[in-house]
Amino acid sequence: MANKLTFKSLIPLLAFVFFAGFCTSAVAKIPKNVHTLNEYDFSISPDLKSQVDFWKKIYSEYTTDYAVIHDARNLDIIYEVVYLGDKTLSRRARDRKLKKVKNKYKTILRHLARKKNKTILTGEEKRVHDMLKGGFYLAAKNIRSQIGQKDRFERGIHRSGRYMEQIRKIFRDYGLPEDLSVLPHVESSFHEGAYSSAGAAGIWQFTRGTGRLFMRVRYDVDERRDPIFSTYAAAKLLKSNFKRLQSWPLAITAYNHGTQGMLRAKRKFGDNLGNIIKNYKSRTFGFASRNFYAEFLAALYVSKNEKKYFPNVTKAKPVKQVSMRFDDYVHISTIMKRFGMSRNEISQSNPALRSPVISGQKHIPRGFVFKAPAERFASLTPLYQKISSAEKFNRQIRSKYYTVRRGDTLSGLALRFGTSVRQLKLRNNIGKRNRIYVGKVLKLPTKKTRRSRNTFRVAKAKSPSQNITTSNTGSYRVRRHDNLTKIARRFNTNSAELARLNRIKNPNSLYPGQTLMVPEIVVVAEASNTIIDSVGPEPTITPGKIKTAKLDLKSKISPAKHLAIKEIPDQKSQNKSDISDGVKVQLASLNSPEYRMNTNRPAFLPVKFTSGKHKETGMGEITVDFDETISHYAEWAQLSIGEVRRVNNLRRSSQIPVHAIIKVPFTKTDPEKFEERRQEFHKGIQEDFFSNYRVSKLVVRKVKKGETLWEICNDNNFIPYWLLHSYNPEKDIHTLALGEPIVIPIITPIKAKDS
């Protein structure tokens, strides 16, 4: 009886033990890293350990004086660490040194791939063989170099002190893990002025396209440059990424690769990032995207152990500012006077203000959140209220542009537009030689002046160093406001000759888009014994280290936009075979300061009305240019994206290729304002690029089999599409033919960058 009662009393206890064991088993099956919006354990998974360890070394062991030669796929394989020398060694010399070492290992790996007897190996061959064991031919294609980042990371820790407190608070307010605040270490080392050749700007390295989703990215204001404005945008983007991907490793990778790309990868290979890195194949999912999350984990580890790796590092003091939103457009000179701030102080406190505002060419826009040092100002509101109504404006200063044509000179343009040569040079960063090129877009003063009768005489005055001759005929497309007299002056002929060539009876019958036969001109610069192509955006060749390359221009470049190029005989060295085979093109090392700003993308075609009916209804047509999207056209025309899509019968997923024709309804703005906004967009891209990079040299080579525009632009540093096109304006660079010669600009940073 006692035993029976004891057994009964044990039943509840046994049930509890069984239930507790079941719960423990169930809990054990829950992954350690539970994916929630505001909490995640960023521990290092085994499949990413080798990648993370590699980046820990890059961030904490090797400075920028060293380069690690490694395998791009297996980061455990490090062939050699190369000392590049101190900063006195030029970038080109460093590149040559690295190329020599990489070629050495390519040779070794290819030799190992061919060698059947692996028992007879030299010392270096044996070392490489023991590291890889196999797959030598593929490894020869995967050799990569990575510059160390230890000194940059240490400077990044110092700079992070200015903003980290605010960044962490913003991420807490958005319900995000605070560990995400170390991402700028990966993107820019917290360098406020960081700018990449792909057009990414600021500490969070937003591109223009992504930045426009969350910030103002315009010609007067670019909020990507402001560390705090861009942090709000980064928080929104990361939160959006997580909601769509439901995984922090994928959401962080999507910050680099894009959300759509990671959604495609997730559909194919699931949530495991290690599995995606191993199996996902995409043209844009390259080394940077594959390693972005591993870099983040390494940066997180190193920053949390900063005293271990950087015992002497100190953090900058947090930036303390007061701010207020401007209700009006205000000129910077007014703020300087009323607030008692210098131009430089305004620029430093408000990095989002672009150079046109700082220089006074544009107003500080309405709605802008203006900042000033808190140590100097308790509040900005009383000072702003003292600004008179006469000093406040209800609109922005209009931008005026002019596209340089054949025969234009700075002095002639200064007379025509009522300004001075000095002002034109200052506004357009033109060098001491006063060189302008056909196709270059000049920024003009906003004051309207009438054109004098002598304008064309001055503009067409020949330089004493030029000799102009005519040869065969080419073609010319008539533009708006053209007439026979204007066209004749451009081509150094007269209207009667043009009428005869084109059998024109009525001079008033010209229409935009009409093709005319015109005389072809050759312009030779006798002073410097170099070739100048005065039509198109190609560079003027300057004396220096000359590199020669053969380029058959006869079949590839039509005389419509390019003049016939004649070689100037060189008495010291003249190779007749080069001349008979084609045209000998001399390419210089382009180091002149005016060149980097004078290189210019071709001017885009203006708005066109195909018929009188279209003009009445306000329906214009434009030719799509590089970097333009449907959302741009909608913004510039003050329409919704849906309206632009509807008139063009485009779906949401439709892509618009460069050079396609798009209809734009001009019902809420006029074509002139549309063109102004469009020009500012492209001008901003160009000015940002040439403020940070220069074209150091040009390379002419033939297009390889299967090579695409994307591969050419991403071969070394990213070359913007518009820049490549500016050197190859006569080519359809989307349909490159095998063996076709192409001019490739090689770009280098103007100064050492911390990004």
Side-chain angles (χ1 to χ4, degrees), residues 97-124:
K97 191 171 186 178
L98 275 179
K99 187 176 182 180
K100 184 178 180 181
V101 176
K102 287 194 282 188
N103 285 338
K104 179 185 81 171
Y105 285 103
K106 283 181 183 179
T107 303
I108 291 173
L109 289 166
R110 287 168 180 166
H111 180 66
L112 287 173
R114 292 191 300 266
K115 200 164 188 176
K116 294 181 180 179
N117 187 359
K118 301 293 194 297
T119 58
I120 307 174
L121 299 173
T122 64
E124 276 289 81

Side-chain angles (χ1 to χ4, degrees), residues 65-69 80-85 97-98 101-102 105:
D65 292 333
Y66 293 86
V68 179
I69 310 298
E80 186 176 336
V81 178
V82 181
Y83 177 61
L84 299 174
K97 191 171 186 178
L98 275 179
V101 176
K102 287 194 282 188
Y105 285 103

Side-chain angles (χ1 to χ4, degrees), residues 212 218 329 366 394-396 398 629-644 646 664-678:
R212 288 175 71 248
R218 303 189 316 219
Y329 291 93
R366 180 167 51 202
N394 58 8
R395 65 180 62 184
Q396 184 60 277
R398 294 285 303 272
T629 64
I630 290 293
S631 65
H632 285 123
Y633 302 141
E635 179 185 336
W636 300 335
Q638 297 182 345
L639 302 168
S640 68
I641 295 175
E643 287 177 282
V644 180
R646 279 194 295 275
V664 178
F666 291 102
T667 54
K668 296 182 180 178
T669 190
D670 57 73
E672 185 180 349
K673 289 183 180 178
F674 179 92
E675 295 287 6
E676 177 190 342
R677 294 168 186 140
R678 191 182 186 194

